[in-house]
């Protein structure tokens, strides 16, 4: 495969569609917790706002300034995050990291849409950006659980 065809495969129409339509792409007016994460390698940033009720995410907002791969990951997260617990989101993040870094399986539902990012395994310089939305969400939820 040529480098050009690798890039076409990496930036598939599905990834570009996810990146163009990120759910919950507005910050919350009154979040219970917020967290910003930045990838030092590429400069991508994701800021998330969360509200929790009865141990699950009840409201969510995100500001995503990342490459298409980071945006696609944030899109999958945004589409599934409401109603999820910290443990479920942490598991999804850990499974995504394993899929990218150690050839692990696709994350379980509700984050199985992340399978679209499998071609990014070979692009280690993109892994941090892909994980940003999950890292920020886990950190925000952990700050709430520690405060309780």
């Amino acid at each position: 495969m040529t480098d050009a065809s690798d890039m076409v495969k990496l930036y598939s129409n599905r990834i570009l569609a996810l990146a163009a339509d990120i759910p919950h792409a507005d910050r919350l007016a009154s979040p219970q917790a917020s967290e910003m994460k930045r990838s030092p390698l590429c400069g991508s940033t994701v800021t998330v706002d969360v509200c929790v009720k009865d141990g699950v995410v009840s409201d969510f907002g995100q500001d995503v300034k990342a490459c298409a791969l980071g945006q696609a990951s944030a899109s999958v997260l945004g589409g599934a995050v409401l109603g999820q617990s910290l443990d479920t989101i942490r598991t999804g993040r850990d499974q995504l990291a394993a899929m990218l870094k150690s050839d692990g399986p696709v994350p379980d539902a509700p984050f199985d849409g992340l399978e679209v990012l499998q071609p990014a395994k070979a692009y280690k310089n993109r892994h941090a950006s892909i994980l940003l939305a999950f890292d920020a969400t886990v950190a925000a939820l952990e700050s709430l659980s520690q405060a309780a």
Side-chain angles (χ1 to χ4, degrees):
M1 230 186 247
T2 66
D3 287 340
S5 64
D6 284 346
M7 293 308 278
V8 168
K9 182 178 178 185
L10 182 61
Y11 292 100
S12 69
N13 287 338
R14 174 114 189 277
I15 285 175
L16 297 175
L18 286 167
D21 190 23
I22 301 172
H24 305 287
D26 294 316
R27 302 280 312 269
L28 299 181
S30 300
Q32 291 175 309
S34 297
E35 189 71 38
M36 189 274 289
K37 292 291 183 181
R38 180 181 176 277
S39 170
L41 186 61
C42 66
S44 293
T45 62
V46 173
T47 304
V48 301
D49 299 322
V50 295
C51 291
V52 173
K53 184 175 182 184
D54 299 326
V56 298
V57 176
S58 60
D59 205 359
F60 181 80
Q62 58 184 339
D63 180 32
V64 181
K65 297 194 178 7
C67 66
L69 300 172
Q71 291 175 29
S73 177
S75 185
V76 172
L77 173 67
V81 71
L82 295 181
Q84 303 304 322
S85 68
L86 167 60
D87 287 342
T88 299
I89 297 166
R90 186 187 294 126
T91 297
R93 189 256 334 254
D94 294 347
Q95 290 175 335
L96 174 59
M99 180 185 84
L100 293 171
K101 298 177 182 192
S102 58
D103 206 27
V106 171
D108 295 332
F111 302 117
D112 49 340
L114 293 165
E115 64 82 24
V116 72
L117 293 165
Q118 284 186 313
K121 290 178 190 180
Y123 298 89
K124 294 184 187 319
N125 61 335
R126 301 286 192 224
H127 293 178
S129 180
I130 293 168
L131 290 163
L132 282 178
F134 279 86
D135 288 341
T137 303
V138 167
L141 292 170
E142 285 177 343
S143 73
L144 281 177
S145 68
Q146 291 169 0

